[in-house]
Each structure stands twice: as C-alpha cells, then as structure tokens.
C-alpha cells in the first residue's frame, strides 16, 4: 500500500468515540481514532515497510505513528534515528509501543535504557523505565546486576519522579520481580519499602497496580516446577534376570 492510500484508510476507519477514549489515555492530536483491531489488520496487510513507516511517522498523526511503529524495521534504526522518533513524544501509549516494537529490538537497547532512566525528563524517563521492564521480561541474556542496580534507583527515587516516569518505574519494578527467584525477593523487598505508589491516570478508570500484590500474582500463575525424579537404584546382578524376564513377557 502506498502512503496516500494508507492515510486515507486510517482516516476512514477513525471514529469520534475512539478519539475521545484515546485522548483520555494520553494520545495527542492530530488523531483519527482507529481501533486496535483495525490497526492490527492493516499491519498484517502491509507487513514490514520501513520507507512507508518513515513517511507515516513524519505526519505527526497519532494513528499514522502507531502503524509506523508496527511496520518499521528495527534493524534500520540508528541511535540518532531512535532518539529522533522519541523526541517530543508526549503519549505514554506511543512511547510504550515504540519501546516494545522498535527500541527493544535494536542492538543498543541496553544503552538506551541506561541513558533514559538517568534522565529527569518525564517522557524520556518513561521510555527508559518501560524499556527496562521489557528487557526484564524479554532478554534472558542480561545479568541480574543490571536489574539490581535499577531496583536501588527505583526505591530511592520513585516518590519524587514525575508522573508518567513514576508509572514506568512501578511497571518496571513488577517486571523485574517476575524475572527470576533472586530478583523476585529483591523486588518484593523494595516494593514493601516503597509502599503505595500514587499515579494520576487522568480521566480514565485505570488503576495503579500494587507492585507487591502483582509480583506475587505473577509467581502464583507460574507453573510449578516438576519434582525431581527419584534416583534409580544401582543395578545389581540379581536385578538383571528379572529385567530379562520382564522383557520376555513384553514380547
């Protein structure tokens, strides 16, 4: 699909009701209000098209940018390009999508996380902490020390962090707590010390998840590890004829 046809399709699919809902959740104008069901269908039709993604992103339209993130090729992103896409974003929904669909899949994801989590900017901070949570759930290669360091930062600074960055920190705390048993304990200790986290969700019904309860629920849903099989008794000379007899009966 070419650029003009895609933009026409997005405009046709938008609704006023969706625009109202998306604005309440932090989406910014210009905005058509395309449902995620329709957006997913468009993504499946287009698949990967990085040039189209660049053109859609350049419009500044929230729906076009949502589709752009979905069809962009993470391998085509440089560090400067990723920061250019993030620059000026004030939508938590779009920031989270950009982190999940693009930033996480770049070779500099860890460096981006480190830089943005150190920022005092509300929206860069949101990006960094969201990316940290994604790394906790999606990248098993990282050492626990990466997350241990950030747990200390979260505990020390979450209460004075700006609203949407604070939300990202709380979500990252939960994700770290679900990564493995050692981090589970550390995250729960941090969550209990932090206590209740207050986040302004605007004119929505969204609730701030309690990190302690949510981490525990993650582990409650994890399948129990199978019990180790009992050690087999050592073979003895007497056992051999019995095994042979059993084999004969099987025949």
């Amino acid at each position: 699909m070419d650029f003009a046809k895609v933009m026409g399709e997005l405009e046709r699919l938008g609704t006023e009701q969706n625009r109202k809902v998306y604005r309440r959740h932090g989406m910014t104008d210009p905005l058509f209000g395309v449902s995620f069901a329709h957006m997913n269908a468009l993504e499946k039709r287009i698949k990967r098209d990085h040039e189209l993604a660049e053109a859609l992103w350049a419009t500044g339209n929230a729906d076009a940018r949502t589709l752009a993130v979905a069809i962009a090729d993470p391998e085509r992103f440089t560090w400067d390009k990723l920061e250019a896409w993030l620059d000026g974003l004030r939508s938590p929904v779009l920031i989270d999508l950009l982190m999940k669909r693009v930033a996480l899949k770049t070779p500099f994801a860890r460096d981006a996380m480190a830089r943005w989590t150190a920022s005092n900017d509300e929206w860069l901070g949101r990006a960094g902490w969201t990316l940290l949570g994604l790394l906790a759930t999606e990248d098993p290669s990282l050492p626990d020390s990466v997350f241990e360091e950030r747990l200390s930062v979260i505990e020390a600074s979450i209460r004075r962090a700006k609203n949407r960055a604070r939300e990202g920190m709380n979500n990252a705390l939960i994700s770290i707590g679900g990564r493995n048993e050692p981090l589970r304990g550390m995250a729960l200790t941090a969550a209990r010390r932090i206590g209740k986290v207050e986040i302004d969700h605007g004119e929505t019904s969204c609730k701030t998840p309690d990190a302690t309860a949510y981490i525990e629920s993650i582990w409650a849903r994890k399948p129990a590890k199978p019990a180790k099989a009992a050690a087999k008794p050592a073979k003895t000379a007497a056992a051999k004829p019995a095994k042979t007899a059993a084999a004969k009966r099987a025949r």
Side-chain angles (χ1 to χ4, degrees):
M1 296 176 70
D2 63 28
F3 170 75
K5 185 174 181 180
V6 171
M7 289 299 293
E9 188 80 349
L10 289 171
E11 185 171 11
R12 182 182 69 80
L13 292 170
T15 69
E16 179 58 30
Q17 179 59 34
N18 283 341
R19 288 193 286 275
K20 290 178 181 178
V21 172
Y22 292 165
R23 285 175 186 135
R24 287 200 297 269
H25 284 82
M27 280 283 201
T28 55
D29 289 304
L31 173 68
F32 292 137
V34 181
S35 71
F36 276 88
H38 283 132
M39 196 69 74
N40 290 339
L42 275 173
E43 178 189 348
K44 289 178 180 177
R45 285 165 60 191
I46 298 169
K47 299 183 173 62
R48 185 77 73 209
D49 189 333
H50 192 76
E51 284 71 24
L52 177 57
E54 291 272 18
L56 291 170
W57 189 266
T59 66
N61 180 282
D63 296 281
R65 286 186 161 187
T66 298
L67 183 58
V69 168
I71 65 173
D73 183 356
E75 294 183 2
R76 299 275 297 274
F77 276 80
T78 62
W79 171 259
D80 288 343
K81 175 59 69 175
L82 181 59
E83 285 218 309
W85 277 38
L86 182 59
D87 184 44
L89 279 188
R90 297 293 181 268
S91 164
V93 176
L94 259 179
I95 289 173
D96 292 357
L97 284 172
L98 181 60
M99 294 304 102
K100 182 176 182 178
R101 302 298 296 269
V102 176
L104 178 65
K105 299 175 183 179
T106 64
F108 39 85
R110 180 175 172 181
D111 292 338
M113 176 275 294
R115 179 166 175 169
W116 297 335
T117 54
S119 174
N120 290 323
D121 180 84
E122 179 176 12
W123 303 101
L124 286 178
R126 168 71 178 217
W129 294 109
T130 298
L131 186 51
L132 176 67
L134 290 165
L135 288 168
T137 56
E138 303 291 339
D139 189 346
S141 71
L142 294 178
D144 283 2
S145 59
V146 171
F147 304 101
E148 291 167 3
E149 292 169 5
R150 289 332 186 273
L151 282 176
S152 298
V153 175
I154 291 171
E155 185 176 345
S157 59
I158 190 171
R159 291 200 170 279
R160 64 175 183 272
K162 294 174 182 175
N163 188 57
R164 290 302 186 177
R166 185 164 64 249
E167 183 180 24
M169 295 170 89
N170 192 58
N171 292 339
L173 173 59
I174 292 169
S175 295
I176 293 170
R179 183 175 171 87
N180 59 38
E181 284 281 7
L183 288 172
R184 171 191 183 184
M186 296 181 69
L188 283 171
T189 298
R192 289 167 182 146
R193 287 173 178 163
I194 292 166
K196 186 177 181 180
V197 175
E198 298 286 352
I199 295 164
D200 181 3
H201 296 280
E203 299 176 9
T204 72
S205 59
C206 296
K207 304 294 183 184
T208 303
D210 176 80
T212 300
Y214 210 98
I215 291 168
E216 294 289 22
S217 71
I218 290 172
W219 284 91
R221 294 193 299 269
K222 285 183 182 286
K225 292 182 179 179
K228 291 183 178 180
K232 293 181 179 180
K235 292 181 179 179
T236 63
K240 193 169 183 179
K243 184 177 180 182
T244 303
K248 288 179 179 178
R249 287 196 295 273
R251 290 197 293 268

Coordinates of all heavy atoms in Angstrom, one line a residue, residues 78-79 82-83 86 99 102-104 106-119 124-125 127-129 131-132 135 150:
T78 N 19.3 3.8 13.6 CA 20.5 4.2 14.3 C 20.1 4.8 15.6 O 18.9 5.0 15.9 CB 21.2 5.2 13.5 OG1 20.4 6.4 13.4 CG2 21.6 4.7 12.1
W79 N 21.1 5.0 16.4 CA 20.8 5.7 17.7 C 20.1 7.0 17.5 O 19.1 7.3 18.2 CB 22.1 5.8 18.5 CG 22.0 6.7 19.7 CD1 22.3 8.0 19.9 CD2 21.4 6.3 21.0 NE1 22.0 8.4 21.1 CE2 21.4 7.4 21.8 CE3 20.8 5.1 21.4 CZ2 20.9 7.3 23.1 CZ3 20.3 5.0 22.7 CH2 20.4 6.1 23.6
L82 N 16.5 6.7 16.4 CA 15.6 6.3 17.5 C 15.3 7.5 18.4 O 14.1 7.7 18.8 CB 16.2 5.1 18.4 CG 15.4 4.6 19.5 CD1 14.1 4.1 19.1 CD2 16.2 3.5 20.3
E83 N 16.3 8.2 18.8 CA 16.1 9.4 19.6 C 15.2 10.5 18.9 O 14.5 11.2 19.5 CB 17.4 10.0 20.0 CG 18.1 9.2 21.1 CD 18.8 10.1 22.1 OE1 19.6 11.0 21.7 OE2 18.6 9.8 23.4
L86 N 11.7 9.5 19.3 CA 11.2 9.7 20.7 C 11.1 11.1 21.0 O 10.2 11.5 21.8 CB 12.2 9.0 21.6 CG 11.9 9.0 23.1 CD1 10.6 8.4 23.4 CD2 13.0 8.3 23.9
M99 N 9.0 1.6 22.4 CA 9.9 0.8 23.1 C 9.8 -0.7 22.8 O 10.8 -1.4 22.6 CB 9.8 1.0 24.6 CG 10.1 2.5 25.1 SD 11.8 3.0 24.7 CE 11.4 4.1 23.3
V102 N 10.3 -1.4 18.6 CA 11.5 -0.9 18.0 C 12.7 -0.9 18.9 O 13.6 -1.7 18.7 CB 11.3 0.5 17.4 CG1 12.6 1.0 16.8 CG2 10.2 0.5 16.3
A103 N 12.7 -0.1 20.0 CA 13.9 0.1 20.8 C 14.4 -1.3 21.4 O 15.6 -1.5 21.4 CB 13.6 1.0 21.9
L104 N 13.5 -2.1 21.8 CA 13.9 -3.4 22.4 C 14.6 -4.3 21.5 O 15.5 -5.1 21.9 CB 12.6 -4.1 22.9 CG 12.8 -5.5 23.5 CD1 13.6 -5.4 24.8 CD2 11.4 -6.2 23.8
T106 N 16.7 -3.3 19.0 CA 17.9 -2.7 18.5 C 19.1 -3.2 19.3 O 18.9 -3.6 20.5 CB 17.9 -1.2 18.6 OG1 17.8 -0.8 19.9 CG2 16.7 -0.6 17.8
P107 N 20.3 -3.2 18.7 CA 21.5 -3.7 19.4 C 21.9 -2.7 20.6 O 22.7 -3.1 21.4 CB 22.6 -3.7 18.4 CG 22.1 -2.8 17.3 CD 20.6 -2.9 17.3
F108 N 21.3 -1.5 20.6 CA 21.7 -0.5 21.6 C 20.6 -0.3 22.6 O 20.5 0.7 23.3 CB 22.1 0.8 21.0 CG 21.2 1.2 19.8 CD1 20.1 1.9 20.0 CD2 21.7 1.0 18.5 CE1 19.3 2.3 19.0 CE2 20.9 1.3 17.5 CZ 19.7 2.0 17.7
A109 N 19.7 -1.3 22.8 CA 18.6 -1.2 23.7 C 19.1 -1.0 25.2 O 18.5 -0.2 25.9 CB 17.7 -2.5 23.7
R110 N 20.1 -1.7 25.6 CA 20.6 -1.6 27.0 C 21.2 -0.2 27.2 O 20.9 0.4 28.2 CB 21.6 -2.7 27.3 CG 22.1 -2.6 28.7 CD 23.1 -3.7 29.0 NE 23.7 -3.6 30.3 CZ 24.6 -4.4 30.8 NH1 24.9 -5.5 30.2 NH2 25.2 -4.2 32.0
D111 N 21.9 0.3 26.2 CA 22.5 1.7 26.3 C 21.4 2.7 26.4 O 21.5 3.7 27.2 CB 23.4 2.0 25.2 CG 24.7 1.1 25.2 OD1 25.0 0.6 26.3 OD2 25.3 0.9 24.2
A112 N 20.4 2.5 25.6 CA 19.2 3.5 25.6 C 18.5 3.5 26.9 O 18.2 4.5 27.5 CB 18.3 3.1 24.5
M113 N 18.3 2.3 27.5 CA 17.7 2.2 28.8 C 18.5 2.9 29.8 O 17.9 3.7 30.6 CB 17.5 0.7 29.1 CG 17.0 0.4 30.5 SD 18.2 0.4 31.8 CE 19.2 -1.0 31.4
A114 N 19.8 2.7 29.8 CA 20.7 3.3 30.8 C 20.6 4.9 30.7 O 20.6 5.6 31.7 CB 22.1 2.8 30.7
R115 N 20.6 5.3 29.5 CA 20.6 6.8 29.3 C 19.3 7.4 29.7 O 19.2 8.4 30.4 CB 20.9 7.1 27.8 CG 20.9 8.6 27.5 CD 21.6 8.8 26.1 NE 21.5 10.2 25.7 CZ 22.1 10.7 24.7 NH1 22.9 9.9 24.0 NH2 22.0 12.0 24.3
W116 N 18.2 6.8 29.3 CA 16.9 7.4 29.5 C 16.4 7.2 31.0 O 15.7 8.1 31.5 CB 15.9 6.8 28.6 CG 16.2 7.1 27.1 CD1 16.9 8.2 26.6 CD2 15.8 6.3 26.0 NE1 17.0 8.1 25.3 CE2 16.3 7.0 24.8 CE3 15.0 5.2 25.8 CZ2 16.1 6.5 23.6 CZ3 14.8 4.7 24.5 CH2 15.4 5.3 23.4
T117 N 16.8 6.1 31.6 CA 16.4 6.0 33.1 C 17.2 7.0 33.9 O 16.7 7.3 35.0 CB 16.7 4.6 33.6 OG1 18.0 4.2 33.3 CG2 15.7 3.6 33.0
A118 N 18.3 7.6 33.4 CA 19.0 8.6 34.2 C 18.5 10.0 33.9 O 18.9 10.9 34.6 CB 20.5 8.5 33.8
S119 N 17.5 10.1 33.0 CA 17.0 11.5 32.7 C 16.0 11.9 33.7 O 15.2 11.2 34.2 CB 16.4 11.4 31.3 OG 15.8 12.6 30.9
L124 N 11.3 11.0 28.6 CA 12.4 10.2 28.4 C 12.6 9.1 29.5 O 12.9 8.0 29.3 CB 13.7 11.0 28.4 CG 14.0 11.8 27.1 CD1 15.2 12.7 27.3 CD2 14.0 11.0 25.9
G125 N 12.2 9.6 30.8 CA 12.2 8.6 31.9 C 11.2 7.5 31.7 O 11.5 6.4 31.9
A127 N 10.2 6.4 28.8 CA 10.8 5.5 27.8 C 11.8 4.5 28.4 O 11.8 3.3 28.2 CB 11.4 6.3 26.7
G128 N 12.7 5.1 29.2 CA 13.8 4.3 29.8 C 13.3 3.2 30.8 O 13.7 2.0 30.7
W129 N 12.3 3.6 31.6 CA 11.8 2.6 32.6 C 10.9 1.5 31.9 O 10.9 0.4 32.3 CB 11.1 3.3 33.7 CG 12.0 4.1 34.6 CD1 12.1 5.5 34.6 CD2 13.0 3.6 35.4 NE1 13.1 5.9 35.4 CE2 13.7 4.8 36.0 CE3 13.5 2.4 35.8 CZ2 14.8 4.7 36.9 CZ3 14.5 2.3 36.7 CH2 15.2 3.4 37.2
L131 N 11.4 0.5 28.9 CA 12.4 -0.4 28.2 C 13.1 -1.3 29.2 O 13.3 -2.5 28.9 CB 13.4 0.5 27.5 CG 14.5 -0.2 26.6 CD1 13.8 -1.2 25.6 CD2 15.3 0.8 25.8
L132 N 13.4 -0.8 30.4 CA 13.9 -1.7 31.4 C 13.0 -2.9 31.7 O 13.4 -4.0 31.8 CB 14.2 -0.9 32.7 CG 14.7 -1.7 33.9 CD1 16.1 -2.3 33.6 CD2 14.7 -0.9 35.2
L135 N 13.2 -5.4 28.9 CA 14.4 -6.1 29.0 C 14.3 -7.2 30.0 O 14.8 -8.3 29.9 CB 15.6 -5.2 29.2 CG 16.0 -4.3 28.1 CD1 17.0 -3.2 28.6 CD2 16.6 -5.1 26.9
R150 N 19.1 -1.0 39.1 CA 17.9 -0.2 38.9 C 16.8 -0.3 40.0 O 16.1 0.6 40.2 CB 17.2 -0.6 37.5 CG 18.0 -0.2 36.2 CD 18.8 1.0 36.4 NE 19.5 1.6 35.3 CZ 20.7 1.2 34.9 NH1 21.3 0.2 35.4 NH2 21.3 1.9 33.9

